[in-house]
Amino acid sequence: MFQIDAMSRVPVYEQIVEQTERFLLSGVLAPGTKMPSVRSLSLDLSVNPNTIQKAYSELERRGFVKPVPGKGMFISEQVGECLGEVRKSKLETIRAVLVQGKQAGLTRADVEQCVDQVYRKYEEKRDEV
Amino acid sequence: MFQIDAMSRVPVYEQIVEQTERFLLSGVLAPGTKMPSVRSLSLDLSVNPNTIQKAYSELERRGFVKPVPGKGMFISEQVGECLGEVRKSKLETIRAVLVQGKQAGLTRADVEQCVDQVYRKYEEKRDEV
Amino acid sequence: MFQIDAMSRVPVYEQIVEQTERFLLSGVLAPGTKMPSVRSLSLDLSVNPNTIQKAYSELERRGFVKPVPGKGMFISEQVGECLGEVRKSKLETIRAVLVQGKQAGLTRADVEQCVDQVYRKYEEKRDEV
Amino acid sequence: MFQIDAMSRVPVYEQIVEQTERFLLSGVLAPGTKMPSVRSLSLDLSVNPNTIQKAYSELERRGFVKPVPGKGMFISEQVGECLGEVRKSKLETIRAVLVQGKQAGLTRADVEQCVDQVYRKYEEKRDEV
DNA sequence: GTGGTCTAGACCACG
DNA sequence: GTGGTCTAGACCACT
């Protein structure tokens, strides 16, 4: 389920958080779903249990998952409310990067072309994701 | 000239590199200009000389500045050639965050509106800067 | 493993970089191999950790090694691609010193004899190494 | 007469020494010739007098020039003896670089080809120098 | 004065 | 344990 790139500079725990977030946004993980236990995921990914624990703590902090004592971690029922926040922050990131690009001398046309490339027709889009 | 945010998670030396890059892109720093000496900038920013040195080394590595023995650091005459690369990488960054945003469920309209905000008419832009 | 000459004019960190490069070229260090940790090498060579760090940063910049967060420095899997470049630059260096030698009045015979000495038969070569 | 590259990493005083050496080797500067005074050369090259002085001291140390009190610096009459040494050291440098190249995996053929390029026919050689 | 290298020792995030 | 960043202060070569 998760794909860890040990050579990447982004921390392993953050890779797990990001991928979980992506699964939530795309609906692959629905509220109420049980997350794998720390131990099992640790074995699956060949990653230190501490690292998994850290990822789960971060997910809990963001309101994505809720621990059920004695049962495990579950996708929070209120996860939908958080996803709006996530999208808003993504938009903020985009805005920041655009401002940087503009300061670097990128024209509106450059950016529009880039947007075009990303939001192209559905048929071509499907295999990209 | 430089603005250092000591609380930021991005390293001080990288902040200096980025800001220098921005000055170059906006034309504030022209080829042949002398950079502040390691020691003087160190005092100005209340930052250790080693940290400044690291920033300058990175700038030299990227081809933005050249040391003149016993004289100081100077903006490279060939800096123009590097800036194209910088712009290209900025565009790549934009593309990457756009893809992320799209995966997060942002619509093309959302993004277009964001682009509009950044590249809006001059009259409205003025008070932003 | 490494031999540092503290009296040499070539910086310690550069000696480490060069020797590592030599180990890579000769196949002593294969992709995936773990480099000694900054601290341990620092103790081994009686050199400040910062100096080792600088050497490792340079090696990373050249694409020879990759840091794995929390694990250590590892020889890059793509190191083979870089070695071709290294050989090319070595050849350039040779060309440069040959030109200098020629300008200094060295004859082709002088140089050929020198090449002979370096690339002599295996039996004679053995005791040189 | 001298060509100084301020942007070069090799020290200015060393550039002067090297070029003088080259002039001696090629016979442009003959024994007994008077070198320009420190002051005049300093003005000519827009270089600090201390730097010229350092170059001259180095040239004197190597036995290339002799100061004549009240007259100036003159190319030493015994310069011929030194030039043999210079050629010998050049050959040593070549040998060292060849060894490095061999360790880097360069074949004899690679090197021979390089030698060929440098020592090609006279007609083609002329415009290279 | 300049940049470049180095030591000594600290703190941080990551696993 | 790992690498990465930073401070404090030193020495060097070059101009």
Coordinates of all heavy atoms in Angstrom, one line a residue, chain D residues 16-103:
Chain D
I16 N 52.5 35.8 -12.9 CA 53.6 36.6 -13.4 C 54.8 35.7 -13.5 O 55.6 35.6 -14.5 CB 53.9 37.8 -12.5 CG1 52.7 38.8 -12.6 CG2 55.2 38.5 -12.9 CD1 52.8 39.9 -11.6
V17 N 55.0 34.9 -12.4 CA 56.2 34.0 -12.3 C 56.1 33.0 -13.5 O 57.1 32.8 -14.3 CB 56.2 33.2 -11.0 CG1 57.2 32.1 -11.1 CG2 56.5 34.2 -9.9
E18 N 54.9 32.4 -13.7 CA 54.8 31.4 -14.7 C 55.0 31.9 -16.1 O 55.6 31.3 -16.9 CB 53.3 30.8 -14.7 CG 53.2 29.7 -13.6 CD 51.8 29.2 -13.6 OE1 51.0 29.5 -14.5 OE2 51.5 28.4 -12.7
Q19 N 54.4 33.1 -16.3 CA 54.6 33.7 -17.7 C 56.1 34.1 -17.9 O 56.6 33.9 -19.1 CB 53.7 34.9 -17.8 CG 52.2 34.5 -17.9 CD 51.3 35.7 -18.1 OE1 51.6 36.7 -18.8 NE2 50.1 35.6 -17.6
T20 N 56.7 34.6 -16.9 CA 58.2 34.9 -17.1 C 58.9 33.6 -17.4 O 59.8 33.6 -18.3 CB 58.7 35.5 -15.8 OG1 57.9 36.6 -15.4 CG2 60.2 35.9 -15.9
E21 N 58.6 32.6 -16.7 CA 59.2 31.3 -16.9 C 59.0 30.8 -18.4 O 59.9 30.4 -19.1 CB 58.6 30.2 -16.0 CG 59.4 29.0 -15.8 CD 58.8 28.0 -14.8 OE1 59.0 28.3 -13.6 OE2 58.1 27.1 -15.2
R22 N 57.8 31.0 -18.8 CA 57.5 30.6 -20.2 C 58.3 31.5 -21.2 O 58.8 30.9 -22.2 CB 56.0 30.8 -20.5 CG 55.4 29.8 -21.4 CD 53.9 29.9 -21.4 NE 53.3 29.7 -20.1 CZ 52.1 30.2 -19.8 NH1 51.3 30.8 -20.7 NH2 51.6 30.0 -18.6
F23 N 58.4 32.8 -20.9 CA 59.2 33.6 -21.8 C 60.6 33.2 -21.9 O 61.3 33.2 -22.9 CB 59.1 35.1 -21.3 CG 57.7 35.7 -21.6 CD1 57.2 36.6 -20.6 CD2 57.0 35.4 -22.7 CE1 56.0 37.1 -20.9 CE2 55.7 35.9 -22.9 CZ 55.2 36.8 -22.0
L24 N 61.2 32.7 -20.7 CA 62.5 32.3 -20.7 C 62.7 31.0 -21.5 O 63.6 30.9 -22.3 CB 62.9 32.0 -19.2 CG 63.1 33.3 -18.4 CD1 63.3 32.9 -16.9 CD2 64.3 34.1 -18.9
L25 N 61.8 30.1 -21.3 CA 61.9 28.8 -22.0 C 61.8 29.0 -23.5 O 62.4 28.3 -24.3 CB 60.7 27.9 -21.5 CG 60.9 27.3 -20.1 CD1 59.6 26.7 -19.6 CD2 62.0 26.2 -20.2
S26 N 60.9 29.9 -23.9 CA 60.8 30.1 -25.3 C 61.8 31.1 -25.9 O 61.8 31.4 -27.1 CB 59.4 30.6 -25.6 OG 59.2 31.9 -25.0
G27 N 62.7 31.6 -25.1 CA 63.7 32.5 -25.6 C 63.3 33.9 -25.8 O 64.1 34.8 -26.2
V28 N 62.1 34.3 -25.4 CA 61.7 35.7 -25.6 C 62.5 36.6 -24.7 O 62.8 37.7 -25.0 CB 60.2 35.8 -25.3 CG1 59.7 37.3 -25.3 CG2 59.4 35.0 -26.3
L29 N 62.7 36.1 -23.5 CA 63.6 36.8 -22.5 C 64.9 36.2 -22.4 O 65.1 35.0 -22.1 CB 62.9 36.8 -21.1 CG 61.8 37.8 -20.9 CD1 61.2 37.6 -19.5 CD2 62.3 39.2 -21.0
A30 N 66.0 36.9 -22.8 CA 67.3 36.4 -22.8 C 68.1 36.8 -21.6 O 67.7 37.9 -21.0 CB 68.1 36.8 -24.1
P31 N 69.1 36.1 -21.2 CA 69.9 36.5 -20.0 C 70.5 37.9 -20.2 O 70.9 38.3 -21.3 CB 71.1 35.5 -20.1 CG 70.5 34.3 -20.7 CD 69.5 34.8 -21.7
G32 N 70.5 38.7 -19.1 CA 71.0 40.0 -19.2 C 69.9 41.1 -19.4 O 70.1 42.3 -19.2
T33 N 68.7 40.6 -19.9 CA 67.6 41.6 -20.2 C 67.2 42.2 -18.9 O 67.1 41.5 -17.8 CB 66.5 40.8 -20.8 OG1 67.0 40.1 -21.9 CG2 65.4 41.8 -21.3
K34 N 66.8 43.4 -18.9 CA 66.3 44.1 -17.7 C 64.8 43.9 -17.6 O 64.0 44.0 -18.6 CB 66.5 45.6 -17.8 CG 66.1 46.4 -16.5 CD 66.4 47.9 -16.6 CE 66.0 48.6 -15.4 NZ 64.6 48.3 -15.0
M35 N 64.3 43.5 -16.4 CA 62.9 43.3 -16.2 C 62.3 44.7 -15.9 O 63.0 45.6 -15.4 CB 62.7 42.5 -14.9 CG 63.1 41.0 -15.1 SD 61.9 40.1 -16.2 CE 60.5 39.8 -15.1
P36 N 61.0 44.9 -16.2 CA 60.4 46.2 -15.8 C 60.5 46.5 -14.3 O 60.5 45.5 -13.5 CB 58.9 46.1 -16.3 CG 58.8 44.7 -16.8 CD 60.1 44.0 -16.8
S37 N 60.5 47.7 -13.9 CA 60.6 48.0 -12.5 C 59.3 47.6 -11.8 O 58.3 47.5 -12.5 CB 60.9 49.5 -12.3 OG 59.7 50.2 -12.5
V38 N 59.4 47.4 -10.5 CA 58.2 47.1 -9.8 C 57.1 48.1 -10.0 O 55.9 47.8 -10.3 CB 58.5 46.9 -8.3 CG1 57.2 46.8 -7.5 CG2 59.4 45.7 -8.0
R39 N 57.5 49.4 -9.9 CA 56.4 50.4 -10.0 C 55.8 50.4 -11.4 O 54.6 50.5 -11.5 CB 57.1 51.8 -9.7 CG 57.0 52.2 -8.3 CD 57.2 53.8 -8.2 NE 58.4 54.2 -8.9 CZ 59.6 54.1 -8.4 NH1 59.8 53.4 -7.3 NH2 60.6 54.5 -9.1
S40 N 56.6 50.4 -12.4 CA 56.1 50.5 -13.8 C 55.2 49.3 -14.1 O 54.1 49.4 -14.6 CB 57.2 50.6 -14.8 OG 57.9 49.4 -14.9
L41 N 55.6 48.1 -13.7 CA 54.8 46.9 -14.0 C 53.5 47.0 -13.2 O 52.5 46.6 -13.7 CB 55.6 45.6 -13.7 CG 55.0 44.3 -14.2 CD1 54.7 44.4 -15.6 CD2 55.9 43.1 -13.9
S42 N 53.7 47.5 -12.0 CA 52.5 47.6 -11.2 C 51.4 48.5 -11.9 O 50.2 48.2 -11.9 CB 52.9 48.2 -9.8 OG 51.7 48.9 -9.2
L43 N 51.9 49.6 -12.4 CA 50.9 50.5 -13.1 C 50.4 49.8 -14.4 O 49.2 49.9 -14.7 CB 51.7 51.8 -13.5 CG 52.0 52.7 -12.3 CD1 52.9 53.9 -12.7 CD2 50.7 53.1 -11.6
D44 N 51.3 49.2 -15.2 CA 50.9 48.5 -16.4 C 49.8 47.5 -16.2 O 48.8 47.5 -16.9 CB 52.1 47.8 -17.0 CG 52.9 48.6 -18.0 OD1 52.8 49.8 -17.9 OD2 53.5 48.0 -18.9
L45 N 50.0 46.7 -15.2 CA 49.0 45.6 -14.9 C 47.9 46.0 -14.0 O 47.0 45.1 -13.7 CB 49.8 44.4 -14.4 CG 51.0 43.9 -15.2 CD1 51.6 42.7 -14.6 CD2 50.5 43.5 -16.7
S46 N 47.9 47.2 -13.5 CA 47.0 47.6 -12.4 C 46.9 46.6 -11.3 O 45.9 46.0 -10.9 CB 45.5 47.7 -13.0 OG 45.5 48.6 -14.1
V47 N 48.1 46.3 -10.8 CA 48.3 45.3 -9.8 C 49.1 45.9 -8.6 O 49.9 46.8 -8.8 CB 49.0 44.1 -10.3 CG1 49.7 43.3 -9.2 CG2 48.1 43.2 -11.1
N48 N 48.8 45.6 -7.4 CA 49.4 46.1 -6.2 C 51.0 45.9 -6.3 O 51.4 44.8 -6.6 CB 48.9 45.5 -5.0 CG 49.3 46.2 -3.7 OD1 50.5 46.3 -3.5 ND2 48.4 46.7 -3.0
P49 N 51.8 46.9 -6.0 CA 53.2 46.7 -6.1 C 53.7 45.6 -5.2 O 54.7 44.9 -5.6 CB 53.8 48.1 -5.5 CG 52.7 49.1 -5.8 CD 51.4 48.3 -5.7
N50 N 53.1 45.4 -4.1 CA 53.5 44.2 -3.2 C 53.4 42.9 -4.0 O 54.2 42.0 -3.8 CB 52.6 44.1 -2.0 CG 52.8 45.3 -1.1 OD1 53.9 45.8 -1.0 ND2 51.7 45.6 -0.3
T51 N 52.4 42.8 -4.9 CA 52.2 41.6 -5.6 C 53.4 41.4 -6.6 O 53.9 40.3 -6.7 CB 50.9 41.6 -6.4 OG1 49.8 41.9 -5.4 CG2 50.6 40.3 -7.1
I52 N 53.7 42.5 -7.3 CA 54.9 42.4 -8.2 C 56.1 42.0 -7.5 O 56.9 41.2 -7.9 CB 55.1 43.8 -8.9 CG1 53.8 44.3 -9.5 CG2 56.2 43.7 -10.0 CD1 53.3 43.5 -10.7
Q53 N 56.3 42.7 -6.3 CA 57.5 42.4 -5.5 C 57.6 40.9 -5.2 O 58.6 40.3 -5.2 CB 57.4 43.3 -4.2 CG 58.7 43.2 -3.4 CD 59.9 43.6 -4.2 OE1 60.0 44.7 -4.7 NE2 60.9 42.7 -4.2
K54 N 56.4 40.4 -4.8 CA 56.4 39.0 -4.4 C 56.8 38.1 -5.6 O 57.5 37.1 -5.5 CB 55.0 38.6 -3.9 CG 54.9 37.3 -3.3 CD 53.6 37.1 -2.5 CE 53.6 35.8 -1.7 NZ 52.4 35.7 -0.9
A55 N 56.3 38.5 -6.8 CA 56.6 37.7 -8.0 C 58.1 37.7 -8.2 O 58.8 36.7 -8.5 CB 55.8 38.2 -9.2
Y56 N 58.7 38.9 -8.1 CA 60.1 39.1 -8.4 C 60.9 38.3 -7.4 O 62.0 37.7 -7.7 CB 60.5 40.6 -8.4 CG 60.2 41.3 -9.7 CD1 59.4 40.7 -10.7 CD2 60.7 42.5 -10.0 CE1 59.1 41.3 -11.9 CE2 60.4 43.2 -11.2 CZ 59.6 42.6 -12.1 OH 59.4 43.2 -13.3
S57 N 60.5 38.3 -6.1 CA 61.2 37.6 -5.1 C 61.2 36.1 -5.4 O 62.2 35.4 -5.3 CB 60.6 37.8 -3.7 OG 60.6 39.2 -3.4
E58 N 60.1 35.6 -5.9 CA 60.0 34.2 -6.2 C 60.9 33.9 -7.4 O 61.6 32.9 -7.4 CB 58.5 33.9 -6.5 CG 58.3 32.4 -7.0 CD 58.7 31.4 -5.9 OE1 58.7 31.8 -4.7 OE2 58.9 30.2 -6.2
L59 N 60.9 34.8 -8.4 CA 61.8 34.6 -9.6 C 63.3 34.6 -9.1 O 64.1 33.8 -9.7 CB 61.5 35.7 -10.6 CG 60.2 35.5 -11.4 CD1 59.9 36.8 -12.2 CD2 60.3 34.3 -12.3
E60 N 63.6 35.4 -8.2 CA 65.0 35.5 -7.7 C 65.3 34.2 -7.0 O 66.4 33.6 -7.1 CB 65.1 36.7 -6.8 CG 66.6 36.9 -6.3 CD 66.7 38.0 -5.3 OE1 65.7 38.7 -5.1 OE2 67.8 38.2 -4.7
R61 N 64.3 33.7 -6.1 CA 64.5 32.5 -5.4 C 64.8 31.3 -6.3 O 65.6 30.4 -6.0 CB 63.3 32.2 -4.5 CG 63.5 31.3 -3.4 CD 62.2 30.9 -2.7 NE 61.3 30.2 -3.6 CZ 61.4 28.9 -4.0 NH1 62.5 28.3 -3.5 NH2 60.6 28.4 -4.8
R62 N 64.1 31.3 -7.5 CA 64.3 30.2 -8.4 C 65.6 30.4 -9.3 O 65.9 29.6 -10.1 CB 63.1 30.1 -9.3 CG 61.8 29.8 -8.6 CD 60.7 29.3 -9.5 NE 59.4 29.3 -8.9 CZ 58.3 29.0 -9.5 NH1 58.3 28.7 -10.8 NH2 57.2 28.9 -8.8
G63 N 66.3 31.6 -9.1 CA 67.5 31.8 -9.9 C 67.3 32.3 -11.3 O 68.2 32.3 -12.1
F64 N 66.1 32.8 -11.6 CA 65.8 33.3 -12.9 C 66.3 34.7 -13.1 O 66.7 35.1 -14.1 CB 64.3 33.2 -13.2 CG 63.8 31.8 -13.3 CD1 62.5 31.5 -13.1 CD2 64.7 30.8 -13.7 CE1 62.0 30.3 -13.2 CE2 64.2 29.5 -13.8 CZ 62.9 29.2 -13.5
V65 N 66.2 35.5 -12.0 CA 66.6 36.9 -12.1 C 67.5 37.3 -11.0 O 67.6 36.6 -10.0 CB 65.3 37.9 -12.0 CG1 64.4 37.6 -13.1 CG2 64.7 37.7 -10.7
K66 N 68.3 38.4 -11.2 CA 69.2 38.8 -10.2 C 69.0 40.3 -10.0 O 68.9 41.1 -11.0 CB 70.7 38.6 -10.6 CG 71.2 37.2 -10.4 CD 71.6 37.0 -8.9 CE 72.3 35.7 -8.7 NZ 72.4 35.4 -7.2
P67 N 68.9 40.8 -8.8 CA 68.8 42.2 -8.6 C 70.2 42.9 -8.7 O 71.2 42.4 -8.2 CB 68.3 42.4 -7.1 CG 68.7 41.1 -6.4 CD 68.9 40.0 -7.5
V68 N 70.3 44.0 -9.4 CA 71.5 44.8 -9.5 C 71.2 46.1 -8.8 O 70.4 46.9 -9.2 CB 71.9 45.1 -11.0 CG1 73.1 46.0 -11.0 CG2 72.2 43.8 -11.7
P69 N 71.9 46.2 -7.6 CA 71.5 47.4 -6.7 C 71.5 48.7 -7.5 O 72.5 49.0 -8.2 CB 72.6 47.4 -5.7 CG 73.1 45.9 -5.7 CD 73.0 45.4 -7.1
G70 N 70.4 49.4 -7.4 CA 70.3 50.7 -8.0 C 70.0 50.7 -9.5 O 69.8 51.7 -10.1
K71 N 70.0 49.5 -10.1 CA 69.7 49.4 -11.5 C 68.4 48.7 -11.8 O 67.6 49.1 -12.7 CB 70.8 48.6 -12.2 CG 72.2 49.2 -12.1 CD 72.5 50.1 -13.2 CE 74.0 50.5 -13.2 NZ 74.4 51.1 -14.4
G72 N 68.1 47.6 -11.0 CA 66.9 46.9 -11.2 C 67.1 45.4 -11.3 O 68.1 44.9 -10.9
M73 N 66.0 44.7 -11.8 CA 66.1 43.3 -11.9 C 66.5 42.9 -13.3 O 66.0 43.4 -14.2 CB 64.7 42.7 -11.6 CG 64.4 42.5 -10.2 SD 65.3 41.2 -9.4 CE 64.4 40.9 -7.9
F74 N 67.5 41.9 -13.3 CA 67.9 41.5 -14.6 C 67.9 39.9 -14.7 O 68.0 39.2 -13.7 CB 69.4 41.9 -14.9 CG 69.5 43.4 -15.1 CD1 69.5 44.2 -14.0 CD2 69.6 43.9 -16.4 CE1 69.6 45.6 -14.2 CE2 69.7 45.3 -16.6 CZ 69.7 46.1 -15.5
I75 N 67.6 39.5 -15.9 CA 67.5 38.0 -16.2 C 68.9 37.5 -15.9 O 69.9 38.0 -16.4 CB 67.2 37.7 -17.6 CG1 65.8 38.3 -18.0 CG2 67.1 36.2 -17.8 CD1 64.6 37.8 -17.2
S76 N 69.0 36.5 -15.0 CA 70.3 35.9 -14.6 C 71.0 35.3 -15.8 O 70.4 34.8 -16.7 CB 70.0 34.8 -13.6 OG 71.2 34.0 -13.4
E77 N 72.4 35.4 -15.8 CA 73.2 34.9 -16.8 C 73.2 33.3 -16.7 O 73.5 32.6 -17.7 CB 74.7 35.4 -16.7 CG 74.8 36.9 -16.9 CD 74.5 37.4 -18.3 OE1 74.4 36.6 -19.2 OE2 74.1 38.6 -18.4
Q78 N 73.0 32.8 -15.5 CA 73.0 31.4 -15.3 C 71.6 30.7 -15.5 O 71.3 29.7 -15.0 CB 73.5 31.0 -13.9 CG 75.0 31.3 -13.7 CD 75.2 32.8 -13.3 OE1 74.3 33.4 -12.7 NE2 76.3 33.3 -13.6
V79 N 70.7 31.5 -16.2 CA 69.3 31.0 -16.2 C 69.3 29.7 -17.0 O 68.4 28.9 -16.7 CB 68.5 32.1 -16.9 CG1 68.7 32.1 -18.4 CG2 67.0 31.9 -16.5
G80 N 70.2 29.5 -17.9 CA 70.1 28.3 -18.7 C 70.2 27.0 -17.9 O 69.4 26.0 -18.1
E81 N 71.0 27.1 -16.8 CA 71.1 25.9 -15.9 C 69.8 25.6 -15.2 O 69.4 24.5 -15.0 CB 72.2 26.2 -14.9 CG 73.5 26.5 -15.5 CD 74.4 27.2 -14.5 OE1 74.2 27.1 -13.3 OE2 75.4 27.9 -15.0
C82 N 69.0 26.7 -14.9 CA 67.8 26.5 -14.2 C 66.7 25.9 -15.1 O 65.9 25.1 -14.7 CB 67.2 27.8 -13.7 SG 68.4 28.7 -12.6
L83 N 66.8 26.2 -16.4 CA 65.7 25.8 -17.3 C 65.7 24.3 -17.4 O 64.6 23.7 -17.5 CB 65.9 26.4 -18.6 CG 65.7 28.0 -18.6 CD1 65.8 28.5 -20.0 CD2 64.4 28.3 -18.0
G84 N 66.9 23.7 -17.3 CA 66.9 22.2 -17.3 C 66.1 21.6 -16.2 O 65.3 20.7 -16.4
E85 N 66.3 22.2 -15.0 CA 65.5 21.8 -13.8 C 64.0 22.0 -14.1 O 63.2 21.1 -13.7 CB 65.9 22.7 -12.6 CG 67.3 22.4 -12.1 CD 67.5 21.0 -11.7 OE1 66.6 20.4 -11.0 OE2 68.5 20.3 -12.1
V86 N 63.7 23.1 -14.7 CA 62.2 23.4 -14.9 C 61.7 22.3 -15.8 O 60.6 21.7 -15.5 CB 62.1 24.7 -15.6 CG1 60.6 24.9 -16.1 CG2 62.4 25.9 -14.7
R87 N 62.4 21.9 -16.9 CA 61.9 20.9 -17.8 C 61.8 19.6 -17.1 O 60.8 18.8 -17.3 CB 62.9 20.8 -19.0 CG 62.8 22.0 -19.9 CD 63.3 21.7 -21.3 NE 63.4 22.9 -22.1 CZ 64.4 23.8 -22.2 NH1 65.5 23.5 -21.5 NH2 64.3 24.9 -22.9
K88 N 62.7 19.3 -16.2 CA 62.7 18.0 -15.5 C 61.5 18.0 -14.6 O 60.8 17.0 -14.5 CB 64.0 17.9 -14.6 CG 64.7 16.6 -14.9 CD 66.1 16.6 -14.3 CE 66.1 16.2 -12.8 NZ 67.5 16.2 -12.2
S89 N 61.2 19.1 -13.9 CA 60.0 19.1 -13.0 C 58.7 19.0 -13.8 O 57.8 18.4 -13.4 CB 60.0 20.4 -12.2 OG 59.5 21.5 -12.9
K90 N 58.7 19.6 -15.0 CA 57.5 19.5 -15.9 C 57.3 18.0 -16.2 O 56.2 17.5 -16.2 CB 57.7 20.3 -17.2 CG 57.6 21.8 -17.1 CD 56.2 22.3 -17.1 CE 56.2 23.8 -17.0 NZ 55.0 24.4 -16.5
L91 N 58.4 17.3 -16.5 CA 58.3 15.9 -16.9 C 57.8 15.1 -15.7 O 57.0 14.2 -15.8 CB 59.6 15.4 -17.3 CG 59.6 14.2 -18.2 CD1 58.8 14.4 -19.5 CD2 61.1 13.8 -18.6
E92 N 58.2 15.5 -14.5 CA 57.7 14.8 -13.3 C 56.2 15.0 -13.1 O 55.5 14.1 -12.8 CB 58.5 15.4 -12.0 CG 59.6 14.5 -11.6 CD 59.3 13.0 -11.8 OE1 58.5 12.5 -11.0 OE2 59.9 12.3 -12.6
T93 N 55.8 16.2 -13.4 CA 54.4 16.5 -13.3 C 53.6 15.6 -14.2 O 52.6 15.0 -13.9 CB 54.1 18.0 -13.6 OG1 55.0 18.8 -12.9 CG2 52.6 18.4 -13.4
I94 N 54.1 15.6 -15.5 CA 53.4 14.7 -16.5 C 53.3 13.3 -16.0 O 52.3 12.7 -16.0 CB 54.2 14.8 -17.8 CG1 54.0 16.2 -18.4 CG2 53.7 13.7 -18.8 CD1 54.8 16.4 -19.7
R95 N 54.4 12.8 -15.5 CA 54.4 11.4 -15.0 C 53.4 11.2 -13.9 O 52.6 10.3 -13.9 CB 55.8 11.1 -14.4 CG 56.1 9.7 -14.2 CD 57.4 9.4 -13.6 NE 57.6 7.9 -13.4 CZ 57.0 7.3 -12.5 NH1 56.2 7.9 -11.7 NH2 57.1 5.9 -12.4
A96 N 53.3 12.2 -12.9 CA 52.4 12.1 -11.8 C 50.9 12.0 -12.4 O 50.1 11.2 -12.0 CB 52.5 13.2 -10.9
V97 N 50.6 12.9 -13.3 CA 49.3 13.0 -13.9 C 49.0 11.7 -14.7 O 47.8 11.2 -14.6 CB 49.2 14.2 -14.8 CG1 47.8 14.2 -15.5 CG2 49.3 15.5 -14.0
L98 N 50.0 11.2 -15.4 CA 49.7 9.9 -16.1 C 49.4 8.8 -15.1 O 48.5 8.0 -15.4 CB 51.0 9.6 -16.9 CG 51.2 10.4 -18.2 CD1 52.5 10.0 -18.9 CD2 50.0 10.3 -19.1
V99 N 50.1 8.7 -14.0 CA 49.9 7.7 -13.1 C 48.4 7.8 -12.6 O 47.7 6.8 -12.5 CB 50.9 7.7 -11.9 CG1 50.4 6.8 -10.8 CG2 52.3 7.4 -12.4
Q100 N 48.0 9.0 -12.2 CA 46.7 9.2 -11.8 C 45.7 8.7 -12.8 O 44.7 8.1 -12.5 CB 46.4 10.7 -11.5 CG 46.8 11.1 -10.1 CD 46.3 12.5 -9.8 OE1 45.3 13.0 -10.4 NE2 46.9 13.2 -8.9
G101 N 45.9 9.1 -14.1 CA 45.0 8.7 -15.2 C 44.9 7.2 -15.3 O 43.9 6.7 -15.5
K102 N 46.1 6.6 -15.2 CA 46.1 5.1 -15.3 C 45.3 4.5 -14.2 O 44.5 3.6 -14.5 CB 47.6 4.6 -15.3 CG 47.7 3.2 -15.5 CD 49.2 2.8 -15.4 CE 49.3 1.3 -15.2 NZ 50.7 1.0 -14.7
Q103 N 45.5 5.0 -13.0 CA 44.7 4.5 -11.9 C 43.2 4.7 -12.1 O 42.3 4.0 -11.6 CB 45.1 5.2 -10.6 CG 46.5 4.7 -10.1 CD 46.9 5.4 -8.8 OE1 46.3 6.4 -8.4 NE2 47.9 4.9 -8.1

